[in-house]
Amino acid sequence: MNSISDCDKIYMHRALQLACCGEGRVSPNPMVGAVVVCNGKIIGEGYHRKYGEAHAEVNAINSVKDKSLLRDSTIYVTLEPCSHWGKTPPCCNLIIESGIPRVVIGVKDPFPEVSGRGIAILKAAGIEVISGVLEDECLFVNRKFITCHTQQRPYVLLKWCESSDGYIAALKNGEPTPVKLSSPISSIYMHRERSLYDAIMVGTTTVITDNPSLTVRGWSGKNPLRVVIDREALIPADSNIFADENVVVFTDIIEVLHKSDRYVKIDFSKNIIPQILSYLYSKKVVSLMVEGGANTLQSFIDAGVWDEIRREVSPLTIHQGVKAPQISFVNAKVSECGGSKIYTKFNL
């Protein structure tokens, strides 16, 4: 068995740093970083910069000025090199053609067209392959991609902001009323998070009450697909969510299904969460942020269908209103942001 050295871990750490540079730009592909090392010196680096463009291994190998050094080098890759043709050629082929004799891999690719095949091709070519270096860290960096392809559904983040006394909205004449609980700083932070997800989801009441745009503001990044539940087609046609066609609405009202391709029929007599996630998975949505309302969030919690929860607790109080979703935050990571506390809990 080939041993894993401290140097292998150091170079894989660097590959992980590079992988994270592609965050928010490569989905539905994974984030991948690669480092080429010769005689204890890094001679090439690269990462997957954008979906449809060159993979990390290609960028790393192309960055090496003296290609003759590749025959005495090791390439460190956070995820198993691809072995199939997609938008770009197989990375395994390039590694073999470059004459690199040793490949160190962080984690095996869960994608069915790759999973173990890349490693087998490299070994068949006589290349020394070591895998499982900083495996937990590599799994975590690509938790969205890996969850999607092992669970056959998008990675699910539940996110909400609540008052210090446990409410997410006030009540006025018995109806939910929006209250600004997030600070300017925490709002920017959460908009950054939006830019890192493929889709964002809310329920009917949230759209009617808040009329949200569900776009990225105050941060540079792509707008996620807007996902809305509207069983009875109650949402007004002039709502902000309909500003463009980057929206899908789940309903069972036959009349609206013929109005636009953005309407999708599901069976509300059954559990709608698996139906929604199955549809999104079929559309290559790797990650989903669920922002509300309380009933929608609680339904995911009760079903146990979530991977991460971000709960922002504002120092403000409401005294009465719509209660925040209920879940224990024992062992959650706690951080400060703009006067609020953010609790992050994983279910991986």
Side-chain angles (χ1 to χ4, degrees):
M1 180 180 292
N2 295 317
S3 61
I4 298 172
S5 69
D6 288 339
C7 285
D8 288 334
K9 294 178 182 178
I10 289 170
Y11 294 128
M12 189 60 72
H13 266 299
R14 177 55 184 161
L16 280 166
Q17 289 177 329
L18 291 165
C20 292
C21 293
E23 191 174 29
R25 299 179 180 88
V26 301
S27 185
N29 283 353
M31 295 182 289
V32 183
V35 175
V36 182
V37 178
C38 182
N39 296 323
K41 181 180 179 181
I42 294 177
I43 61 171
E45 294 185 336
Y47 65 94
H48 187 26
R49 294 175 176 271
K50 187 177 181 181
Y51 175 66
E53 296 185 359
H55 289 187
E57 299 93 323
V58 176
N59 289 330
I61 290 171
N62 286 344
S63 75
V64 176
K65 293 181 180 180
D66 184 354
K67 296 296 191 291
S68 68
L69 296 176
L70 292 172
R71 297 190 175 276
D72 295 308
S73 298
T74 296
I75 185 168
Y76 294 83
V77 190
T78 55
L79 189 71
E80 178 183 3
C82 66
S83 56
H84 66 291
W85 279 85
K87 288 186 174 293
T88 59
C91 291
C92 282
N93 293 4
L94 178 61
I95 293 172
I96 294 169
E97 292 165 4
S98 298
I100 296 174
R102 185 171 183 261
V103 179
V104 178
I105 297 167
V107 66
K108 190 168 84 171
D109 193 331
F111 191 63
E113 292 187 49
V114 180
S115 193
R117 188 165 176 261
I119 293 174
I121 289 173
L122 293 172
K123 286 183 175 180
I127 294 173
E128 178 188 358
V129 180
I130 296 176
S131 60
V133 178
L134 300 187
E135 185 173 29
D136 289 344
E137 291 90 334
C138 292
L139 283 168
F140 187 76
V141 163
N142 271 315
R143 60 193 181 279
K144 297 174 186 174
F145 177 82
I146 290 170
T147 296
C148 180
H149 289 291
T150 56
Q151 302 295 322
Q152 284 76 55
R153 63 161 175 82
Y155 179 93
V156 176
L157 165 68
L158 308 182
K159 174 261 176 184
W160 71 86
C161 182
E162 65 183 73
S163 64
S164 61
D165 51 351
Y167 298 98
I168 64 170
L171 288 175
K172 185 176 181 180
N173 298 324
E175 295 295 327
T177 303
V179 176
K180 183 64 175 176
L181 294 171
S182 295
S183 70
I185 294 176
S186 64
S187 290
I188 291 173
Y189 172 75
M190 287 305 175
H191 277 274
R192 174 189 178 276
E193 289 299 300
R194 281 186 182 181
S195 74
L196 305 180
Y197 278 76
D198 295 334
I200 183 169
M201 177 179 170
V202 293
T204 309
T205 302
T206 298
V207 175
I208 294 174
T209 302
D210 299 355
N211 192 22
S213 297
L214 301 181
T215 55
V216 175
R217 301 182 301 281
W219 194 265
S220 176
K222 65 178 179 62
N223 290 321
L225 171 70
R226 301 183 294 280
V227 180
V228 182
I229 304 170
D230 189 15
R231 178 177 185 176
E232 299 177 2
L234 299 175
I235 296 174
D238 61 352
S239 297
N240 289 333
I241 62 160
F242 296 132
D244 56 41
E245 291 300 314
N246 190 35
V247 60
V248 58
V249 183
F250 292 99
T251 186
D252 63 359
I253 301 299
I254 300 298
E255 290 77 10
V256 301
L257 291 170
H258 303 296
K259 289 183 179 180
S260 170
D261 291 339
R262 66 192 180 196
Y263 289 98
V264 175
K265 179 176 173 55
I266 56 175
D267 187 353
F268 281 83
S269 68
K270 300 178 181 178
N271 188 344
I272 65 171
I273 293 177
Q275 298 177 68
I276 291 171
L277 296 181
S278 177
Y279 175 85
L280 294 177
Y281 177 74
S282 74
K283 298 299 180 181
K284 296 186 177 181
V285 172
V286 171
S287 56
L288 172 68
M289 174 187 287
V290 183
E291 282 207 357
N295 290 336
T296 301
L297 290 161
Q298 194 66 54
S299 67
F300 275 85
I301 293 171
D302 292 344
V305 184
W306 61 273
D307 303 290
E308 183 177 346
I309 291 178
R310 296 280 182 88
R311 169 201 184 211
E312 179 183 351
V313 179
S314 167
L316 301 176
T317 56
I318 294 178
H319 304 298
Q320 63 175 348
V322 179
K323 293 289 290 184
Q326 299 300 301
I327 189 172
S328 170
F329 279 91
V330 175
N331 298 324
K333 175 185 174 183
V334 185
S335 58
E336 297 278 346
C337 186
S340 297
K341 286 187 177 181
I342 296 178
Y343 296 78
T344 304
K345 186 176 180 68
F346 293 99
N347 188 28
L348 300 175

